[in-house]
Each structure stands twice: as C-alpha cells, then as structure tokens.
C-alpha cells in the first residue's frame, strides 16, 4: 500500500528552478507581473521609510525624556501615533502584494500543469510509464501552493532585508563614528564600531544556523515524499473501501496504513529534532541583539559623550541592521522546506514538457476511412510479449468481436489503438479521433450533475434535456430521468450495470461512427445485453463496433470474430 517508487529529486538549484517558474509566468503575463512587482517594491520602500521614522523618533523622544521636557515629549507621542498609522498601512500593503502575487503566480502555474497533464494523454503516460512522476496531484496541489507562496514571501523578505541593511548601515556608521572600546590600558577607537559589531554578531549567528540546520533540506525532501505516500495510501483505501469490506481486509489495511504513517512519523521526528536545535539560537538572537548596543554604548553615555536619545537610536539601528543580516537565520527552516516544494514542481513540469517516449516500432496513424491492423505485436515495458493480432481491416458499419485468452492483452490492444500504448511493433491505421468512442468495462463518471455525466466528454449543455431523458428511457434507466440536475458521486450511487447502460446513453447522444467496447456489457443480464446491442443496430446502423468480451452469446451480435494470440 505505497505510492509508486519515487525518482531521485534534485536537491540543488532551487533558485534556478524557482526562476524557471517565475520566468514562465512573466512571459505569459508580463504587464500584470511587472505591475505587482512594482507595487511590492513601493510597499517595501514605504515600510523602510517608516522604520527610519521610528529610529529618528527614538532619538527625539528619549532626548526629551532626558531633558525632562514634557511639551516636547507630548509632541513625540503624536508623532508616534502617526508612525503607527503609517506602519499599519505599509504592513497591510506589503501583505496584500504578497498575497496577490502568490495567488496569481499559483493560478498560472496550476493551470499550466493541469493543462499539460490533460493534453496528449500525458496523465496516462505519467501513471503507466516506468519513469512516471509520483503523486502528480500532490505536486500540483500542495507543492505548487507552497512553492509559489513561500517564494514570494522569501523574495520580498530578502529585498526588504537588503534595503533595510543598506539604509540603516549608513545610520549606524554615522552614529558610531566616534566609537571607542574601553580596555584595561585605555580605549581603542574603532570608527563605525557598532556596524562592525553587528556584522560580527550576525555572521556568527548565520554560521551557527547553517551548522545546526544543515540536515533540514534533505529531511524536508524525505518528509514531502513520506507525506505523499501516506496520502496515496489513504486515497487508495477510500477508493477501494467496498472491495476491502467485502474481503474483510480491514486488519491488513490497518497494518498497511500504519506502516506508511510510521515511516512518515520517523521523518517528522528527525525534522523536529533539527528544528529544536535551531530554536536554541532562534529564541534569543534578536533579544540579545537589542542589548548588545546598550552594553557597548553604555561607557560613552555614562561618560557624557552621547545623549540618551543617541544611545537609543543607535540601539534601534543596531537591531535593524542585525535583523537584516540575520535574514538567513530567521528563514533557514522555510528555505529548506521551500527547496523541496520547488524541486517536486519542477520535476513534474519537466516530465510534462518532455516528448512522449515511443519505444519499439509501433506506428499509429489517424484519419483513415477504415481501421487496419498490420503485423501487430504488443509487449510490456520490460519487453515481455503480450499479444499478436492478425492482419485485419474493419470498414464502416462492421461488427467485430475480439476474442482471446484472459490476460492476453486485448484491452492493451485498445490502448494502442487509442494512442495510449507504445510498446510493440506493427502498423495501426485509425479513423479520426473525433469519430470514435471507447466504452471501458467501468465507465468514467465525472463529478457533477447526472446531465454532465451523460454528456461527457461533451459540455453539460451539449444536448437538450428532452434528448437526455429519451436516451435514459431507451437504455432502461427511466428511473433517473428526473435527476438530471442532481449533483452526486454517481460512480458510487449507481450499480456497475447502471453505469454500463449509461455508457450506451452516451453512444445514443454522441452517435460516434466507430465504437470500441471493452467488456462494456459484462455486468448486464442477458436481456439487457441484448437490448443494448439492439439499440446499436437500430439507432447506429452505420457505426462500426469492435467488442472485447468473453460471455457466451456475444457472437450473435457481431458479424465476425478476430482472435488474438499470446505474444512471443
């Protein structure tokens, strides 16, 4: 009960991969992206200006306190209120731009990946090919969400940190131009000493953060894969609930899903240990950063060379510079997590953009007026022979029954005709795709109303309701005629026999010229099977029918048989 084996994921080049995703979005929507980026930059500059205002306010307010000037201090209270209002506005502006950029970027990325997966049958090739990408649903859903949201947050945070550093580094240098470090034999003059102290402090914090969190990127890779496996196991359990209950397999399933979760838990415990190691540093480095300048500047203040306001402004500038320099320290765990999400999304994108492999010498052409099979020999991806089909030509209106041993690959022959199977050799000439319809043993019923299920793959409003009701009645499904607008899980509510008759409703509505049925009447009783084939003879007399089936009595509904042999 595990997901398909995962391919090794690139653990490097996260910035390059993220730029690949961002560049694609910019090329698709250049004006929108440029406008949002400019709005984000203006919001960042506005917040930096407010930070400068608070630094200047610190000096004026504490100088007023030191001089015991009540009038000046009351004026500073009003300034403080204005700064708080400006801080609220700029903070909300930054948040808004981050949210909009993240949502728009994610929308473009998800729609692109979904569209690529649903073109040329790539969703089938991903699942069937040995090099298929595991859990594409999680990659498009969760990984794309976090890859874009965290990227926007990290990018805007990094830009903010750089601008903050540049602006406050100059202030801190100016404030500590006359800095001197008291020593036992005198004092050592260090121009810009507070700035050098901030650089040393932040550098030490960053180095320690890297050393403590160096395992996090690989742990997040493993956690994401384990989360995907657990989700896959739960989805598989839900989708096969009835079969599990009928077989009484709950105990085995319980052991299976428990084992999958235990693998996830083991990875989570490794991640928690690494995060606790980082917390020893993360809980105190900014608090200490607020005290270090007070300790270093206290001798000058006590000696009367600087005022209380200058000391507090220096402490504020020191904290801001340290905060900017410690951006990596604050964001290392999120960077590790983000690298994993980006790698999984880009791997899926590359798999969807890669040309579909066509192993073997099986050639397929569309647009022919007839169906022709020449020298067809199908195999598994590992090279084991599946089936050999005779030379055959099927013309419009013919009814051909395909027979062969169970498991010999008859359904795979239909996949090859549809262009979903490439392993083998021979030539297939098919009629145009828009004139064909395949009926599998279990019809696919999309989510939504019954009307949308009947019209699929055409739009839900492709046929009038009167036609839908008439087709239901013709297929002995008149009890569903009043539920066309009802949305439900029809694949759960309807029996397999009802679902198979619903497939014939689609045939009556869409009237294809070529019909391929893979045991499409296996769940019907003899009377209903006869009725369905009679419908084809009456309503679609000019349509060719190719059927796969084992049930006795099918031969009388067909003109001839085609027998396939096991492959060599």
């Amino acid at each position: 009960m595990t997901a398909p084996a995962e391919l090794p994921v690139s653990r490097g080049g996260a910035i390059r991969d993220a730029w690949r995703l961002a560049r694609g979005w910019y090329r698709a929507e250049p004006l929108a992206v440029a406008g949002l980026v400019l709005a984000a930059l203006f919001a960042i500059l506005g917040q930096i200006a407010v930070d400068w205002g608070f630094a200047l306010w610190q000096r004026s307010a504490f100088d007023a306190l030191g001089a015991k000037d009540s009038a000046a201090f009351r004026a500073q209270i009003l300034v403080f209120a204005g700064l708080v209002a400006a801080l609220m506005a700029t903070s909300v502006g930054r948040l808004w731009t981050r949210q909009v950029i993240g949502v728009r970027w994610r929308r473009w990325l998800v729609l692109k990946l979904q569209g690529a997966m649903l073109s040329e049958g790539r969703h089938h090739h991903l699942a069937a090919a040995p090099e298929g990408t595991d859990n594409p649903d999680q990659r498009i859903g969760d990984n794309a969400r976090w890859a874009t949201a965290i990227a926007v947050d990290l990018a805007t945070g990094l830009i903010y940190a750089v601008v903050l550093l540049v602006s406050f580094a100059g202030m801190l240098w100016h404030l500590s131009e006359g800095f001197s470090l008291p020593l036992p034999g005198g004092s050592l003059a260090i121009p810009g000493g507070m700035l050098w102290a901030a650089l040393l402090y932040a550098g030490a914090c960053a180095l320690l953060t890297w050393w403590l969190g160096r395992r996090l990127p690989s742990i997040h890779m493993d956690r994401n894969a384990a989360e995907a496996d657990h989700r896959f196991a739960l989805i598989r359990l839900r989708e096969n609930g009835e079969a599990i209950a009928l077989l009484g397999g709950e105990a085995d399933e319980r052991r299976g899903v428990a084992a999958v979760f235990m693998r996830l838990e083991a990875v989570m415990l490794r991640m928690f240990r690494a995060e606790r190691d980082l917390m020893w540093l993360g809980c105190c480095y900014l608090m200490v950063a607020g005290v270090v300048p007070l300790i270093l500047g206290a001798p000058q203040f006590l000696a009367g060379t600087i005022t209380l306001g200058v000391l507090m402004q220096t402490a504020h500038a020191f904290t801001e510079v340290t905060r900017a320099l410690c951006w990596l320290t604050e964001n290392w765990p999120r960077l590790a997590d983000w690298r994993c999400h980006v790698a999984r999304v880009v791997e899926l994108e590359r798999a969807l953009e890669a040309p579909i492999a066509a192993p073997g010498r099986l050639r397929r052409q569309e647009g022919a007026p007839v169906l022709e099979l020449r020298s067809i020999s199908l195999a598994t991806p590992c090279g084991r022979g599946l089936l050999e089909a005779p030379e055959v030509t099927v013309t419009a209106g013919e009814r051909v029954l395909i027979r062969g041993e169970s498991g010999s690959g008859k359904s795979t022959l239909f996949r090859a005709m549809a262009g979903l199977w490439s392993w083998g050799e021979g030539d297939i000439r098919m009629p145009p795709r828009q004139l064909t319809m395949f009926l599998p043993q279990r019809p696919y019923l999309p989510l939504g109303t019954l009307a949308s299920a009947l019209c699929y793959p055409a739009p839900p409003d492709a046929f009038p309701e009167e036609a839908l009701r008439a087709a239901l009645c013709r297929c002995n499904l008149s009890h569903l005629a009043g539920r066309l607008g009802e949305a439900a899980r029809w694949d759960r509510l309807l029996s397999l026999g009802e679902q198979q008759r619903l497939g014939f409703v689609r045939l009556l509505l869409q009237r294809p010229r070529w019909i391929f049925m893979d045991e499409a009447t296996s769940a019907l009783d003899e009377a209903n099977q006869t009725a369905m084939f009679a419908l084809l003879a009456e309503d679609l007399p000019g349509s060719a029918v190719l059927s796969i089936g084992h049930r006795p009595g099918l031969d009388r509904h067909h003109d001839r048989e085609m027998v396939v042999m096991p492959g060599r």
Side-chain angles (χ1 to χ4, degrees), residues 297-306:
Q300 291 180 288
F301 171 71
L302 295 175
T305 57
I306 60 173

Side-chain angles (χ1 to χ4, degrees), residues 238-363:
R238 183 189 66 191
E239 294 297 330
N240 297 277
E242 182 179 348
I244 293 169
L246 289 173
L247 293 171
E250 287 84 359
D252 184 70
E253 295 297 323
R254 188 180 299 113
R255 287 190 295 270
V257 294
V260 174
F261 181 77
M262 294 304 291
R263 289 195 291 272
L264 170 60
E265 184 183 46
V267 178
M268 294 294 293
L269 291 176
R270 287 168 52 206
M271 185 179 71
F272 291 159
R273 283 194 295 270
E275 289 178 344
R276 286 196 299 269
D277 291 343
L278 282 174
M279 182 56 69
W280 288 103
L281 176 67
C283 66
C284 63
Y285 75 91
L286 276 181
M287 184 177 294
V288 173
V291 176
V292 169
L294 296 178
I295 296 174
L296 294 177
Q300 291 180 288
F301 171 71
L302 295 175
T305 57
I306 60 173
T307 65
L308 178 61
V310 171
L311 178 61
M312 297 309 296
Q313 185 184 8
T314 302
H316 181 86
F318 185 96
T319 302
E320 294 298 323
V321 169
T322 305
R323 183 156 64 97
L325 290 170
C326 288
W327 179 87
L328 179 64
T329 306
E330 286 185 319
N331 291 281
W332 183 261
R334 301 181 71 223
L335 276 166
D337 191 21
W338 171 70
R339 286 178 63 185
C340 172
H341 292 298
V342 171
R344 287 176 65 82
V345 172
V346 170
E347 185 185 57
L348 176 62
E349 184 187 47
R350 286 173 175 156
L352 293 173
E353 291 178 353
I356 297 176
R361 296 184 295 277
L362 184 63
R363 295 170 293 275

Side-chain angles (χ1 to χ4, degrees), residues 35-101:
L36 289 171
V37 170
L38 287 176
L41 291 176
F42 279 124
I44 289 172
L45 293 175
Q47 193 159 12
I48 294 294
V50 173
D51 290 337
W52 258 75
F54 274 112
L56 298 175
W57 176 87
Q58 292 260 13
R59 179 170 186 168
S60 300
F62 281 98
D63 277 345
L65 283 175
K68 296 182 174 59
D69 188 341
S70 59
F73 185 71
R74 285 195 297 270
Q76 290 304 312
I77 293 176
L78 295 177
V79 173
F80 179 78
L83 288 172
V84 169
L87 177 64
M88 293 169 63
T90 54
S91 298
V92 171
R94 276 191 67 194
L95 177 62
W96 178 81
T97 54
R98 287 204 314 269
Q99 290 173 335
V100 174
I101 292 174

